[in-house]
Amino acid sequence: MFESEEEKQTIYKSADIKFNDIFKTIKKCAYAILGVALLFGIFELFNDPNLLGYFILGALLALIFFIILFFVKKEKLKKKVVSKAEKIEETIAPYGSLIYISFLALFVGICITLVSFNQNQFC
């Protein structure tokens, strides 16, 4: 309930600004994570010279991927991806919580298994 239309518009504008700030923060965090990952990759590259071939292969594959994305019509691709995602969402939506709990149980099981392997290694 708003007392006036001006108050409603002011609150909507404030909410839009804060919503945009959330995505700007997520974008900055993603850039920071990519930067740190790149630094670790560079340090590992200098520590292990055999990784240079893998690094060059990865760079070439990324270049080919971006070239393909550049030449493919983005609107057509976007429509296909959105329609596929909607179909998957309609199929999975009733079982969402079950799938989420299953992934959590799988993750916990894998973690417990890895811990038990590491403990038996020193016995």
Side-chain angles (χ1 to χ4, degrees):
M1 296 287 297
F2 299 103
E3 293 180 12
S4 67
E5 187 66 30
E6 292 175 6
E7 181 183 0
K8 180 179 178 181
Q9 292 301 324
T10 306
I11 291 174
Y12 281 161
K13 286 180 184 179
S14 175
D16 284 340
I17 290 170
K18 294 192 184 303
F19 192 71
N20 286 335
D21 289 345
I22 290 171
F23 285 102
K24 287 178 184 176
T25 303
I26 291 172
K27 187 176 179 181
K28 288 178 185 177
C29 289
Y31 285 149
I33 290 170
L34 283 172
V36 169
L38 185 63
L39 284 175
F40 277 125
I42 290 171
F43 289 140
E44 285 298 319
L45 184 65
F46 287 123
N47 287 338
D48 188 7
N50 294 331
L51 290 177
L52 183 63
Y54 293 120
F55 182 74
I56 292 172
L57 179 65
L60 287 175
L61 289 174
L63 180 67
I64 290 170
F65 177 73
F66 285 120
I67 289 173
I68 289 172
L69 282 180
F70 181 72
F71 286 114
V72 172
K73 292 185 179 180
K74 293 179 183 176
E75 295 168 4
K76 188 176 182 181
L77 182 66
K78 186 176 179 181
K79 287 180 183 178
K80 285 183 181 179
V81 169
V82 168
S83 66
K84 291 281 186 186
E86 287 175 352
K87 287 179 184 177
I88 291 171
E89 182 182 3
E90 290 173 2
T91 305
I92 295 177
Y95 311 107
S97 60
L98 179 65
I99 292 171
Y100 179 70
I101 291 171
S102 299
F103 276 122
L104 285 178
L106 178 69
F107 180 73
V108 169
I110 290 173
C111 289
I112 291 171
T113 303
L114 290 175
V115 168
S116 69
F117 281 153
N118 287 335
Q119 287 179 353
N120 290 337
Q121 183 179 12
F122 298 110
C123 291

